[in-house]
Every structure is written in C-alpha cells, then in structure tokens.
C-alpha cells in the first residue's frame, strides 16, 4: 500500500532522496571553500549568493508556475540541478574546479529551486484528496525533520569516506533519481495560455493575498515566526558552549533534538488532528513555540547547565515548528485556488527566505551586547505575545474552522 496514494509516494520519495543529497552537498561545499580559501567571508558570501535568486525572482517564478505544466517544472528543475552538480563533480575530478564555478552553480540551482519549491506545495492539493491534505503535509514535515538529523551526519561522514567527489556525485544522482520518480506522476495540470503581462499576473496574486484574510494571516505568520525562530540558528552554538560537556557535541544534540521534535509533532498532527483545520491550533502552536524559546532563555538565566534539560525543551520547540508548518500549509492549500497557487506559494517561500537572513543578521548583532540566555528570553517572549495577539485579534476568523470532507 502506498503512503496516501501512489503519486504522493513518488513525490515524497524524490523529496527524501534529493534533500539528503542537498544536506551532504551544502556541508561539503562550505567545507571545501573554507579549506581552499581560508576565508569565512567567502563562505558566507556563497550562502548569500545561493539565496539571492529565490529572494529576487521568487514571486515572478510563481507567475510561470501558474502558467506552465507543473509536472514538467518538477522534472526539468531536478534534472537541471542534477546536471549542474554532476558537472561540478567532473570539474573537481579533473582538478579544474574554481571558486567562480561554485558561485555560478549556486545561482543556477537557486533559480531552479525558486520554481521547484513552490510547485511542490501547489502540486500536493492536485495529487492528494482534501481529507488527506493534512496527513500529506505532516509526512512531508516528518521528512524535513528526519533529514535535519541524518543529513549533517551523512554530509560529514561522506566527506571522510568518499571525499568531495563522492558527495557531489551522490547529490547529482539524487536529483536525477528524484526527477525520474516525478516522471511517473499521474496528474492533470492545465497550462495557461493567458496573454496577461507578467507584471499584471503578479499584481493579481498580491491582490488575492491582500483580499483573503486567512492567506494574509499566513503570510504574516511566516514572516514573524521565521524572524524569531531564526534566533535559534544564531544563538544555539553560543548556548552549546555554555552547557556541561563538549560544546560541539552539545550543539549536535540540540539540533538533533529539534529535528526529532519535528518528527514527533508531524506524527502527532497526522494521527490525532485530522478532522478539522483551524488557525486556532496554529496560534496555539506559535504560543507554545514562544514558550519553548522563552524556557531556553530562562534556564540559561538561572544558570542551569544540564544539557539533557535543554534537549527536552528543543524537542518541544521542534514539535511546535512542525505543527505550525503543517497547519499553515494545509490551510493555504484549502483556501488558494489552483490557478493562483504558484503565485501565492512563491510569496510564502520568498517571505520565509527574506525573514530568516534578516533574523540571523539582527540576532547576530545583538549577541555582541546581550547574553544568549537574555536573547532567547526576549525572542521567546515576543513570539509568545505575537501568538496571543494573533489569537484574540482574529477571534472571529478562528472560530470559522475549515471542515475537511
């Protein structure tokens, strides 16, 4: 028996393979750049360049997602990314790989991702029945959690066992395998023959978001939650150093705990919250997420240094992140019409992609003036307040639960 159905199983299989390859690839390339250049600036600039196309062209990509055949977008994006990475492998093996090759590859892969990622979200409602949407999003989120645990371990161990060439080949082939799996998707998507200009189509997408209160709330949630959850990315390494034991081991434990929590949260919502989807539950998840981050700060401020306690809190935070992610995706998929899905989900992706680096920059700066414990306390308090305000300022909307039939 396939997970939910055959189509979703194929999509999920491709997601697992390609995301594992991505994790190993990113770790290998950053390490290679650091070894070759000895420059943290070049490593960080690589990360920035890898994000730029998605940030700049994300909303425009949504216009073309709504116009083109979505299955073709998935397949071609994966094949192109696979060819790019395998080309890097050939250059590396021939000792011709240069830093500018890495930068050009990062730009091209990011352009493909700007098309691929929103398309994946917009395809799920096409291949999954409405009453299975939440379960499908939960399974996808479980994959993200599992990859966040396995991926870094796979990346670091692969460099040791098979070297950079092995990691590049693995990631390139993972994209190709994902594309082959997507070739077997049985789905009907209509290619739009509209003569509207790109600017007009893009404007229509923004107007739809502004006019639909539920979709507008989701955009706001994505932006604000990413800002405060981004504090975890920045502060966690500094927190890990302050705890008992080895700092790098502590960091691995805490990051794995968040990934494990995401698996638990996605599994919980898949099994126990199937009959209805409501922003009410989304606001509760945000409040609990804020409480978890607040707890990290409080534990540090009262000088608790036992890493096991922090691991438990990180599991709770990861669970809340997964629950919130599954809920907003499902609500959006139920609210957004198919002909608008590419533009709307591209705006979602772009919003998250913009918020996270802003968060990293802000909290990275604040770490020069505040302790990790105090920063976690402030970030958690702000996120918790946002969740409470979201709940009570939109109470009437939250009472309108979408019954999934």
């Amino acid at each position: 028996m396939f997970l939910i159905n055959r189509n979703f199983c194929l999509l999920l299989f491709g997601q697992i393979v390609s995301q594992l390859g991505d994790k190993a690839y990113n770790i290998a390339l950053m390490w290679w750049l650091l070894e070759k250049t000895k420059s943290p600036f070049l490593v960080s600039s690589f990360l920035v360049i890898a994000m730029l196309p998605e940030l700049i062209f994300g909303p425009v990509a949504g216009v073309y997602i709504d116009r083109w055949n979505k299955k073709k977008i998935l397949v071609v994006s994966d094949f192109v990314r696979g060819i790019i990475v395998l080309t890097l492998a050939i250059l590396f093996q021939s000792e011709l790989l240069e830093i500018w090759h890495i930068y050009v590859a990062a730009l091209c892969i990011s352009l493909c991702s700007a098309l691929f990622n929103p398309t994946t979200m917009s395809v799920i409602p096409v291949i999954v029945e409405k009453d299975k949407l939440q379960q499908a999003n939960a399974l996808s989120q479980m994959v993200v959690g599992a990859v966040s645990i396995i991926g870094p371990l796979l990346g670091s161990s692969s460099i040791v066992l098979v070297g950079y060439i092995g990691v590049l080949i693995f990631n390139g082939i993972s994209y190709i395998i994902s594309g082959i799996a997507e070739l077997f998707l049985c789905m009907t998507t209509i290619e739009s023959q509209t003569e509207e200009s790109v600017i007009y189509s893009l404007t229509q997408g923004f107007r739809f978001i502004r006019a639909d209160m539920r979709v507008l709330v989701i955009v706001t949630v994505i932006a604000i939650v990413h800002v405060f959850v981004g504090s975890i990315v920045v502060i966690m390494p500094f927190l890990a150093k302050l705890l008992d034991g080895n700092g790098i081991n502590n960091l691995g434990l805490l990051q794995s705990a968040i990934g494990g929590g995401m698996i638990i949260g996605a599994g919980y919502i898949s099994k126990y919250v199937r009959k209805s989807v409501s922003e009410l539950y989304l606001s509760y998840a945000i409040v609990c997420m804020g409480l978890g981050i607040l707890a990290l700060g409080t534990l540090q401020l009262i000088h608790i240094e036992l890493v096991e306690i922090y691991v438990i809190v990180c599991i709770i935070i990861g669970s809340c992140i997964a629950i919130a992610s599954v809920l907003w995706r499902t609500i959006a998929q139920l609210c957004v019409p198919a002909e608008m899905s590419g533009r709307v989900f591209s705006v979602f992706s772009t919003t998250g992609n913009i918020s996270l680096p802003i968060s990293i920059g802000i909290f990275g700066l604040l770490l020069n003036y505040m302790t990790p414990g105090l920063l976690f306390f402030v970030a958690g308090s702000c996120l918790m307040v946002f969740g409470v305000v979201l709940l009570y300022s939109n109470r009437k909307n939250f009472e309108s639960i979408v019954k999934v039939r």
Side-chain angles (χ1 to χ4, degrees):
M1 178 179 179
F2 291 101
L3 292 171
I4 299 182
N5 62 43
R6 174 184 175 276
N7 278 331
F8 182 73
C9 185
L10 288 168
L11 189 67
L12 194 67
F13 171 74
Q15 184 182 10
I16 293 169
V17 174
S18 62
Q19 286 191 17
L20 279 174
D22 275 349
K23 287 289 184 182
Y25 168 83
N26 288 331
I27 290 172
L29 275 193
M30 285 191 292
W31 196 255
W32 181 83
L33 278 172
L34 191 58
E35 281 188 336
K36 189 174 180 67
T37 65
K38 306 293 190 296
S39 171
F41 171 76
L42 287 176
V43 175
S44 60
S45 64
F46 162 74
L47 295 174
V48 172
I49 286 175
M51 289 188 294
L52 276 180
E54 281 193 83
L55 294 179
I56 296 171
F57 300 111
V60 176
V63 173
Y64 291 102
I65 292 170
D66 286 333
R67 294 184 179 186
W68 295 343
N69 183 288
K70 291 180 173 60
K71 176 179 173 179
K72 289 180 181 178
I73 293 174
L74 293 175
V75 173
V76 172
S77 296
D78 267 338
F79 280 163
V80 170
R81 290 187 291 183
I83 291 168
I84 291 170
V85 177
L86 289 175
T87 301
L88 291 180
I90 293 170
L91 290 170
F92 181 87
Q93 187 65 19
S94 305
E95 299 184 354
L96 297 174
L97 187 62
E98 300 290 343
I99 294 171
W100 70 268
H101 293 143
I102 301 295
Y103 280 57
V104 171
L107 285 169
C108 295
I109 289 173
S110 183
L111 278 172
C112 291
S113 298
L115 286 167
F116 183 88
N117 294 335
T119 303
T120 301
M121 284 190 283
S122 65
V123 158
I124 290 178
V126 177
I127 63 176
V128 175
E129 296 178 358
K130 282 188 175 182
D131 62 339
K132 298 289 186 181
L133 272 178
Q134 188 155 290
Q135 186 181 359
N137 288 314
L139 286 168
S140 294
Q141 197 62 38
M142 288 177 74
V143 168
V144 173
V147 168
S148 68
I149 297 173
I150 300 169
L153 297 174
L154 178 66
S156 56
S157 60
S158 295
I159 295 172
V160 175
L161 294 174
V162 296
Y164 294 113
I165 183 66
V167 174
L168 290 172
I169 291 173
F170 171 68
N171 189 37
I173 292 176
S174 74
Y175 279 131
I176 301 297
I177 292 173
S178 178
I180 291 171
E182 289 149 4
L183 277 172
F184 292 95
L185 288 173
C186 296
M187 52 183 284
T188 302
T189 58
I190 301 172
E191 296 183 49
S192 173
Q193 302 298 322
T194 180
E195 296 182 359
E196 296 173 354
S197 69
V198 172
I199 298 298
Y200 179 80
S201 294
L202 188 60
T203 304
Q204 290 294 98
F206 283 117
R207 285 178 179 171
F208 173 81
I209 292 171
R210 187 176 63 183
D212 192 304
M213 179 58 66
R214 304 186 84 194
V215 178
L216 188 60
V217 166
I218 290 171
V219 174
T220 306
V221 165
I222 292 170
I224 294 178
V225 169
H226 271 75
V227 167
F228 291 109
V229 171
S231 66
I232 299 174
V233 177
V234 181
I235 306 171
M236 194 67 81
F238 297 91
L239 175 66
K241 286 185 177 181
L242 299 174
L243 304 181
D244 292 336
N246 183 280
I248 188 65
N249 289 339
N250 290 340
L251 180 60
L253 279 172
L254 296 174
Q255 290 178 337
S256 295
I258 292 176
M262 291 172 70
I263 296 174
I264 293 170
Y268 170 80
I269 198 168
S270 174
K271 187 173 182 179
Y272 296 107
V273 189
R274 290 187 180 183
K275 294 183 179 179
S276 62
V277 181
S278 169
E279 291 93 334
L280 180 65
Y281 303 131
L282 178 60
S283 66
Y284 287 154
I286 293 170
V287 170
C288 292
M289 200 187 306
L291 282 170
I293 298 173
L294 176 67
L296 290 178
T298 303
L299 289 169
Q300 184 54 217
L301 290 174
I302 62 176
H303 305 294
I304 301 296
E305 298 180 355
L306 192 64
V307 68
E308 288 80 5
I309 297 177
Y310 290 85
V311 166
I312 294 171
V313 176
C314 284
I315 290 173
I316 295 171
I317 293 172
S319 298
C320 294
I321 291 173
I323 291 170
S325 179
V326 170
L327 286 172
W328 77 252
R329 287 169 186 264
T330 306
I331 293 167
Q333 288 163 349
L334 290 169
C335 293
V336 178
E339 64 273 13
M340 281 283 181
S341 61
R343 279 165 282 183
V344 173
F345 287 123
S346 290
V347 170
F348 290 167
S349 294
T350 304
T351 301
N353 289 335
I354 291 174
S355 301
L356 197 54
I358 289 174
S359 170
I360 291 172
I362 291 173
F363 284 100
L365 180 64
L366 290 176
L367 270 172
N368 294 317
Y369 307 100
M370 301 168 68
T371 64
L374 183 57
L375 265 182
F376 269 139
F377 188 90
V378 172
S381 299
C382 291
L383 188 56
M384 186 175 64
V385 169
F386 169 68
V388 172
V389 170
L390 187 68
L391 173 62
Y392 286 99
S393 65
N394 296 280
R395 190 75 188 185
K396 290 183 180 180
N397 291 328
F398 291 170
E399 288 171 356
S400 176
I401 298 177
V402 178
K403 294 292 183 182
V404 183
R405 297 177 182 176

